[in-house]
Amino acid sequence: MKLKFIPILVASSLFLAAGAQATPLSALPNLLPVAQAEEVKTVNINTGSAQEISAVLVGVGEKRAEQIIELREQLGGFTEVEQLLDVKGIGVKTLEKNRAFITIKQ
């Protein structure tokens, strides 16, 4: 997190070195680190609709989301994220891209 503030500090130092007046960081409104400003969307693959799943997962359209729901019904619910690999068209790369966005709750 500290690395995100380095460009701000460098820019402030350059302004001061050039003789310009720099605005103190405390005077700037809504300066939040990116991680706090952006809300990470997740989807519960045991309860999410096809629309919800396709909206959150990268590289998963509505048809693939419907296949996820079909597998969910066959299994009686997912117990591990890796079970998504049984859906045709979802490989290791797609799973890894989406792992942070997937939750499994009954």
Side-chain angles (χ1 to χ4, degrees):
M1 294 300 274
K2 291 180 182 179
L3 293 177
K4 292 182 182 183
F5 293 106
I6 290 175
I8 295 170
L9 295 174
V10 170
S12 296
S13 298
L14 291 174
F15 280 117
L16 292 173
Q21 285 190 340
T23 303
L25 292 178
S26 60
L28 297 175
N30 298 325
L31 256 185
L32 295 175
V34 174
Q36 290 177 357
E38 293 179 15
E39 183 179 325
V40 177
K41 300 263 186 193
T42 61
V43 64
N44 182 348
I45 58 172
N46 277 328
T47 60
S49 68
Q51 293 81 15
E52 292 169 330
I53 293 170
S54 64
V56 173
L57 300 186
V58 177
V60 175
E62 203 159 323
K63 294 226 183 251
R64 185 97 51 233
E66 289 171 3
Q67 293 173 327
I68 291 171
I69 292 172
E70 287 175 24
L71 180 60
R72 173 177 76 196
E73 291 170 356
Q74 290 173 6
L75 296 173
F78 292 101
T79 56
E80 296 180 353
V81 175
E82 288 76 15
Q83 290 173 306
L84 288 175
L85 295 172
D86 292 335
V87 175
K88 184 178 180 184
I90 296 184
V92 174
K93 287 182 182 179
T94 302
L95 181 63
E96 290 308 315
K97 279 193 265 186
N98 289 296
R99 190 175 291 274
F101 310 123
I102 299 170
T103 60
I104 298 178
K105 299 174 188 164
Q106 294 297 335

